[in-house]
């Protein structure tokens, strides 16, 4: 397909597509002549991914480029390829080293992972932004006086593990390795807001069941 058709099918303007090409977010099309290139279904799929990351996920262009670099890195195994892509996505700010609750939060999260038997997660504690995000959130809860006990955290973690199983079951329906990693990244951007919305709807439903509408 030519650029105009790629634009029509994707809903992305030709000017924006050209910008993505210049920024290295899309690989160049097959050159037909000096002024014309042809694009294929892979370009269309990648363009939709880029658009979702930028428009829905509000991910900066530089970060999109970094994520896509990991997606396309054939030298990495699947776990590291997926992890590297997801770690490049935005996370909570770096923790305040002076936070008196942070050390306890790290210990608590470490104990949580041990209780769950998540050995891979324990190995990644020094590098995973998700681990740091969880520790920062737990520290904030403690600082504000909300002392969730370990049993409650374990229950939530097990719910999230079930969600992760569903995530990767879907990812494995994709044909190529690059598509699987793309699906995982897209899932992080799009599924997490859906899960958040479902969580809030469930809270509203349970609140109405318990307390009525008064």
């Amino acid at each position: 397909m030519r650029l105009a058709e790629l634009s029509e099918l994707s809903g992305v303007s030709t000017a924006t597509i050209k910008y993505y090409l210049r920024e290295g977010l899309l690989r160049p099309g097959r050159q037909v002549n000096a002024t014309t290139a042809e694009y294929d279904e892979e370009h269309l799929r990648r363009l939709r991914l880029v658009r979702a990351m930028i428009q829905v996920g509000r991910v900066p262009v530089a970060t999109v480029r970094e994520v896509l670099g990991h997606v396309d890195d054939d030298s990495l195994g699947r776990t590291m390829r997926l992890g590297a892509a997801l770690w490049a996505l935005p996370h909570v700010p770096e923790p305040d080293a002076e936070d008196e609750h942070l050390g306890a939060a790290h210990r608590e999260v470490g104990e949580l992972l041990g209780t769950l038997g998540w050995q891979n997660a324990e190995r990644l504690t020094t590098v995973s932004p998700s681990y740091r995000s969880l520790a920062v959130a737990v520290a904030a809860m403690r600082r504000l006086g909300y002392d969730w006990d370990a049993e409650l955290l374990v229950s939530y973690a097990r719910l999230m593990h079930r969600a992760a199983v569903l995530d990767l079951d879907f990812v494995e329906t994709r044909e190529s390795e690059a598509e699987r990693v793309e699906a995982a990244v897209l899932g992080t951007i799009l599924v997490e807001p859906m899960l958040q919305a479902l969580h809030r709807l469930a809270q509203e439903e349970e609140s109405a069941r318990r307390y009525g509408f008064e």
Side-chain angles (χ1 to χ4, degrees):
M1 71 185 84
R2 301 296 171 87
L3 183 62
E5 186 179 358
L6 179 62
S7 174
E8 182 178 355
L9 289 174
S10 65
V12 180
S13 71
T14 56
T16 299
I17 294 173
K18 289 178 180 178
Y19 170 68
Y20 292 163
L21 287 165
R22 289 196 302 271
E23 291 295 319
L25 306 185
L26 287 176
R27 65 175 177 81
R30 183 177 67 85
Q31 207 68 35
V32 176
N33 55 47
T35 59
T36 306
E38 284 191 343
Y39 303 90
D40 55 25
E41 291 298 322
E42 185 179 336
H43 285 96
L44 181 59
R45 190 187 75 246
R46 177 58 61 88
L47 182 56
R48 287 170 174 164
L49 173 64
V50 169
R51 202 61 170 162
M53 293 177 72
I54 292 174
Q55 282 200 324
V56 180
R58 306 297 181 186
V59 180
V61 168
T63 302
V64 173
R65 188 187 303 109
E66 181 182 356
V67 170
L68 295 179
H70 298 314
V71 168
D72 295 331
D73 189 349
D74 294 329
S75 69
L76 297 175
R78 182 179 299 180
T79 297
M80 291 307 298
R81 196 175 187 182
L82 175 58
L86 296 183
W87 295 347
L89 294 172
H91 291 267
V92 300
E94 288 294 315
D96 181 0
E98 303 299 321
D99 186 347
E100 60 180 325
H101 298 277
L102 190 59
H106 275 287
R107 288 191 296 274
E108 188 171 350
V109 172
E111 291 170 2
L112 169 67
L113 298 180
T115 299
L116 293 167
W118 290 4
Q119 297 178 357
N120 184 64
E122 285 191 282
R123 286 196 294 270
L124 298 175
T125 54
T126 59
V127 295
S128 172
S130 300
Y131 174 88
R132 292 198 301 272
S133 294
L134 179 56
V136 168
V138 169
M141 292 284 285
R142 297 293 178 265
R143 188 166 55 252
L144 295 171
Y146 291 93
D147 293 324
W148 283 22
D149 60 31
E151 184 177 348
L152 185 57
L153 280 174
V154 167
S155 297
Y156 271 96
R158 286 178 174 152
L159 284 174
M160 292 302 98
H161 185 260
R162 178 57 187 157
V165 170
L166 294 173
D167 290 341
L168 293 183
D169 284 348
F170 171 75
V171 165
E172 289 175 1
T173 66
R174 316 310 294 174
E175 293 184 2
S176 71
E177 194 67 23
E179 284 180 285
R180 293 185 189 110
V181 182
E182 285 181 6
V185 172
L186 194 58
T188 300
I189 294 169
L190 299 181
V191 175
E192 285 188 357
M194 287 194 295
L195 292 178
Q196 182 184 65
L198 284 170
H199 187 197
R200 291 177 180 177
L201 285 170
Q203 288 175 329
E204 292 167 9
E205 178 67 17
E206 183 61 20
S207 177
R209 287 181 181 180
R210 292 191 185 197
Y211 313 123
F213 289 97
E214 296 180 359

